[in-house]
Amino acid sequence: SVRESSQAMVNDFNRIRNEVETVRGHIDTRIDGNMKELNALAEQVKVLNVKISQASIQGNDANDLEDRRDSMIKKMATFVDLTTNKDNNNMVNIEVRGVGPLVTGPTAQAYHLGRSPASVDGSPENSLQVSRSPFGSEYITSQFQSGKIGALVETRDKAISTVLDRLDQLAFSVTQSVNEIHQKGFTSDGQTGLNFFNPLDVVTGAASKIALSNHVKNSTGNIATALQPEAPGDNRNALAIANLQNAHFMSNGQTTMDDFYNSIVSDIGVASARNNEALGQTKSILTQLEKVREQVSGVSIDEETTNLMQFQHAFDASARVIKVADEMLEAVINLRR
């Protein structure tokens, strides 16, 4: 029963860490897709800049092209926090806050994606990283701090990494504490100094590496339950291990392992609730700002309908005047006959 329960705990550690890492992998996939779409939009804006500039120089109307460019810039703003300005040639220059120029007149910066060989700015090993050069090792991923891309990077490198670090710390501390007590005990045949779990050298990845020792896997008789050899019924060492559940050996002796794990779950719940509340507030602000923008630069359906009605009435009136003039002219011609 002890061995099977311990194996179930090991499986839970492995499963939870694997599931969190899977979520992190999905975030990398989304970063990859968003970054490629941002590059494509920047390339299209660059092309439109050239066409709009040429049309302006030739004195042609470029309203449709400018509308397309504005629509693309609006979409780009969902991925990153950017600022824009127009030059004298009617070209738009776009700069990503904290990163640098993205589109400068007829040129566009393309961001490149690669895998980091080691931890960079708190990001996990082999995580997706952004650089300005396809062969560069100078990563600028952490400089994206807003928009969809910034949110994904922060979630991956801070929120998820924090969960994994704390989970690893719990697995490492449990392994170390149980082994420390188990080594002092004696098995039914008098052996001592045996590990209950395989020893772990480092905290990183402990939740995925934790496993029962081969001694315990091979025989339940290698579970050291006694504090002295050849003492049938001595279960003091087993009780000492069981008492670890209520012992304060986590967070420098401040909390129990139950409290430590519950705090991980609680922090995730609090962060989720806080983010949902912030999302609702941001959506409300966005709706208000879009209304203000539409009032300044948008098209009012009611206003356009009123204008169409005015044009229609003016056309009807003009048609009536022409009809009356035609009838009068016909009457004059008939008089002369």
Side-chain angles (χ1 to χ4, degrees):
S1 177
V2 169
R3 183 174 63 179
E4 294 306 315
S5 297
S6 300
Q7 184 60 54
M9 182 192 71
V10 167
N11 293 340
D12 284 340
F13 269 118
N14 298 160
R15 175 184 55 80
I16 293 173
R17 198 182 202 285
N18 181 65
E19 290 177 351
V20 177
E21 286 182 335
T22 299
V23 172
R24 189 164 64 182
H26 291 163
I27 290 178
D28 272 352
T29 301
R30 293 177 63 183
I31 292 175
D32 178 76
N34 289 342
M35 194 61 69
K36 288 179 179 177
E37 189 169 356
L38 179 64
N39 284 339
L41 289 170
E43 187 69 20
Q44 294 178 53
V45 170
K46 177 194 78 173
V47 173
L48 287 173
N49 270 345
V50 175
K51 292 182 178 180
I52 291 171
S53 177
Q54 292 174 347
S56 299
I57 293 174
Q58 296 171 1
N60 297 327
D61 186 5
N63 289 340
D64 289 342
L65 296 176
E66 291 186 7
D67 288 343
R68 286 175 54 192
R69 185 176 64 182
D70 290 343
S71 176
M72 291 177 183
I73 294 174
K74 181 180 178 181
K75 191 171 183 179
M76 292 169 66
T78 64
F79 295 112
V80 291
D81 184 12
L82 51 81
T83 58
T84 63
N85 64 81
K86 282 187 179 181
D87 60 18
N88 296 330
N89 297 320
N90 207 19
M91 293 188 182
V92 170
N93 299 319
I94 303 175
E95 181 173 346
V96 180
R97 292 185 188 273
V99 180
L102 179 57
V103 178
T104 305
T107 61
Q109 166 74 58
Y111 296 121
H112 301 273
L113 299 168
R115 296 285 176 177
S116 60
S119 180
V120 178
D121 297 327
S123 61
E125 185 177 351
N126 199 40
S127 61
L128 199 67
Q129 299 293 333
V130 184
S131 63
R132 292 188 175 91
S133 169
F135 308 105
S137 59
E138 182 180 349
Y139 300 118
I140 58 173
T141 315
S142 61
Q143 298 177 28
F144 293 92
Q145 299 181 355
S146 299
K148 292 181 180 178
I149 295 176
L152 289 171
V153 171
E154 182 179 0
T155 301
R156 183 195 69 182
D157 296 348
K158 293 183 180 179
I160 291 183
S161 291
T162 299
V163 171
L164 290 176
D165 289 344
R166 296 176 69 183
L167 194 63
D168 286 341
Q169 183 61 60
L170 178 59
F172 183 83
S173 297
V174 169
T175 299
Q176 196 174 38
S177 299
V178 171
N179 280 347
E180 184 178 347
I181 297 176
H182 194 265
Q183 288 171 1
K184 297 177 182 178
F186 292 86
T187 66
S188 58
D189 57 0
Q191 293 188 75
T192 188
L194 301 180
N195 287 314
F196 190 87
F197 296 107
N198 285 336
L200 297 173
D201 298 327
V202 293
V203 176
T204 303
S208 61
K209 297 174 183 176
I210 184 173
L212 296 179
S213 67
N214 289 331
H215 291 101
V216 174
K217 279 184 179 180
N218 293 333
S219 173
T220 55
N222 289 327
I223 299 177
T225 59
L227 274 182
Q228 63 185 51
E230 299 179 1
D234 183 1
N235 64 346
R236 288 175 295 170
N237 203 52
L239 291 175
I241 294 176
N243 288 334
L244 282 174
Q245 182 174 4
N246 300 316
H248 292 70
F249 64 92
M250 298 297 305
S251 302
N252 297 320
Q254 298 297 315
T255 62
T256 65
M257 61 179 178
D258 281 350
D259 292 338
F260 187 84
Y261 179 77
N262 289 336
S263 69
I264 298 175
V265 179
S266 176
D267 288 346
I268 294 174
V270 170
S272 177
R274 183 174 61 247
N275 290 336
N276 285 330
E277 183 178 355
L279 177 62
Q281 294 175 354
T282 303
K283 284 183 176 180
S284 298
I285 295 173
L286 178 63
T287 301
Q288 294 176 3
L289 291 176
E290 286 180 340
K291 289 180 179 179
V292 172
R293 180 174 61 187
E294 292 299 323
Q295 289 175 359
V296 175
S297 61
V299 176
S300 172
I301 300 299
D302 294 337
E303 182 180 352
E304 293 301 320
T305 303
T306 302
N307 291 335
L308 286 173
M309 293 177 64
Q310 290 177 349
F311 294 145
Q312 183 179 0
H313 291 319
F315 178 81
D316 291 342
S318 299
R320 289 178 182 178
V321 170
I322 293 174
K323 182 178 180 182
V324 170
D326 181 64
E327 291 175 351
M328 291 175 61
L329 180 60
E330 185 178 358
V332 170
I333 292 174
N334 291 332
L335 285 174
R336 293 190 61 182
R337 291 176 181 175

